[in-house]
Amino acid sequence: DETVPPRLTVLESLRYSGRLRLPYDSSATEIDQAVQRALGAVALDDVADQRVSQLSGGQRKRVGLATELLNHPGILFLDEPTTGLDVGLERQMMELFRSLAAVGDHAVIVVTHATHSLDRLDRLCVMGRGGHLCFSGRPGDALEFFAVETFEDVYLALQKRPAAEWRSEFELERPPHPSLPEAPSTRRSRPRRGNPRALRIQAGALTSRYVKLFVRDRLNLLILVMQAPVLGIGLLLLFTRNVLAPFPRGTPLVATQLAFLLVMITIWLGAVDASREIVKERSIFARERAMGVTIGPYLFAKTTVLFSLILIQAAILLGLTAVMRPFHEPFNTYLDFYGLLALAGFAAVAMGLLVSSLAQTEDQATALAPVAMTAQLLFGGGIVTVKSMTAVMKVVSATSFGRWAFAGAGTALHMNARFLADPAVRLQ
């Protein structure tokens, strides 16, 4: 997988990775030095200021490799790193691995099915079906052992005889391996994951990176921001201007419908904002999680940005309501109502992030988000009142944050007093 955010430049991506991977007491100068070393090692200096999305397939793979080189690992395990590359790019990547191993402080282990560059290896291991080690040694000796002329023919040889037989033959001929001295480690260890300073640095780096990624996806940002005015105007045009006015100009029952739909639209916006934000970065987070990034700072970054977005969307929605369908209440009522919308939006963002964490693909997240939203719509008490629900559904409804947000909205708008002022209600 190419586990590098595509909307960052190569330099930005490596700097953020350096802040997350290098020891947390590393200075900015030390991080920049590590980034420059990694760029030089994979020959990406000339594209350092280009976005990852603009690079070729081979260059993107090299960016991923540079990310792993930042903290100077002693061993690199590369699983099918040349998959999808043409023969020329595959050769370039293998030459790169050869140069890294030649430095003397990296051991590079490559799993591959490609045979064009096997002559560049120090040692070739051939694995047969069932995990049998059929050969281990110099690449040239493999041709002699399997009695073939090319590395491609090794596959045919493995099909002619069971892997277990090749393994037995190899073990009879294999010379003993000399023991190698253990190299001393000179790298600094990273603090434990629970280190408060580590958590602060992770939270800062992840939040800064997420903001940059969020803003650079301009089309998606435009769609998310424009949802609030489009849905808000469409909703408000369904009602008369004095729908929220005191009786007799306003009708309390219709006013509750507007309040309910305002809450539901806010919940919809929050859920849509967050429903894909974890699943689309699953491979990136899995890699960073293995390097010590904890879930807390990652969720902090997500919620900080998404909560800010829902606050803006709720403000747009309430502002349009104040202009087009005023509450006919003091200004404090608007503040109370905004607070309720914000809390409902926060809960919806959390629900969207939960959906995103459970989904395996972005398509699944897109399909699950409306289901979660529909549950809030059905159990919120605006379509079917809680009093009219069955006993089981009343219990289920109690778990719906949409219901409590709707109840709070009714309290903020003094809906009980509005109903009591309606003679039709007093006669019932």
Side-chain angles (χ1 to χ4, degrees), residues 12 53 105 120 123 143 222 303 320 337 374 382 386 426:
E12 289 171 342
S53 59
D105 54 0
R120 305 301 297 151
R123 177 175 294 275
L143 301 179
L222 178 63
T303 54
L320 290 171
F337 200 87
T374 302
V386 176
R426 291 201 301 268

Side-chain angles (χ1 to χ4, degrees), residues 43-245:
L44 285 176
D45 304 84
D46 56 333
V47 295
D49 294 321
Q50 291 186 29
R51 291 192 183 184
V52 174
S53 59
Q54 299 172 338
L55 303 180
S56 66
Q59 288 174 324
R60 289 197 296 271
K61 289 181 181 293
R62 278 191 277 163
V63 174
L65 179 59
T67 303
E68 300 304 324
L69 292 174
L70 284 171
N71 53 333
H72 206 74
I75 302 178
L76 283 171
F77 290 95
L78 305 173
D79 185 17
E80 299 283 2
T82 60
T83 298
L85 303 182
D86 58 40
V87 177
L89 287 176
E90 187 266 343
R91 185 72 176 185
Q92 290 180 19
M93 291 294 291
M94 293 298 284
E95 290 288 352
L96 173 60
F97 304 150
R98 170 72 269 169
S99 65
L100 290 174
V103 173
D105 54 0
H106 294 294
V108 183
I109 300 175
V110 180
V111 179
T112 182
H113 286 86
T115 58
H116 302 92
S117 304
L118 297 185
D119 58 306
R120 305 301 297 151
L121 304 179
D122 291 310
R123 177 175 294 275
L124 172 65
C125 296
V126 179
M127 301 298 295
R129 188 181 299 277
H132 293 286
L133 178 62
C134 299
F135 175 82
S136 176
R138 292 179 298 181
D141 294 341
L143 301 179
E144 180 180 349
F145 175 77
F146 289 103
V148 296
E149 295 183 357
T150 65
F151 290 113
E152 290 83 356
D153 294 334
V154 172
Y155 289 110
L156 298 177
L158 290 172
Q159 293 177 3
K160 292 178 181 178
R161 291 174 58 186
E165 292 185 11
W166 284 114
R167 174 184 176 179
S168 298
E169 182 178 338
F170 170 68
E171 289 179 345
L172 290 175
E173 300 180 5
R174 177 172 57 180
H177 291 294
S179 59
L180 299 178
E182 181 178 350
S185 175
T186 58
R187 291 174 292 155
R188 291 176 290 171
S189 61
R190 294 166 64 84
R192 292 177 297 176
R193 290 183 175 183
N195 184 285
R197 183 180 180 187
L199 296 178
R200 289 195 300 270
I201 292 175
Q202 288 180 5
L206 291 170
T207 303
S208 174
R209 185 179 70 180
Y210 186 44
V211 169
K212 190 166 292 186
L213 290 170
F214 205 83
V215 172
R216 284 187 178 172
D217 192 357
R218 295 180 180 177
L219 179 58
N220 182 60
L221 181 61
L222 178 63
I223 292 173
L224 292 177
V225 173
M226 290 303 298
Q227 281 186 102
V230 170
L231 293 176
I233 292 173
L235 167 65
L236 296 171
L237 289 177
L238 295 175
F239 300 89
T240 62
R241 178 169 178 80
N242 292 320
V243 62
L244 292 170

Side-chain angles (χ1 to χ4, degrees), residues 316-378:
I316 293 174
L317 199 59
L318 185 60
L320 290 171
T321 304
V323 173
M324 299 176 64
R325 304 294 183 258
F327 286 174
H328 297 276
E329 294 275 357
F331 182 71
N332 287 342
T333 301
Y334 287 95
L335 295 179
D336 293 341
F337 200 87
Y338 179 67
L340 287 163
L341 291 183
L343 291 175
F346 291 169
V349 166
M351 180 179 70
L353 290 175
L354 176 62
V355 167
S356 188
S357 67
L358 295 176
Q360 298 299 313
T361 65
E362 291 188 52
D363 290 339
Q364 290 181 12
T366 303
L368 288 174
V371 175
M373 172 59 204
T374 302
Q376 299 300 320
L377 183 67
L378 294 178

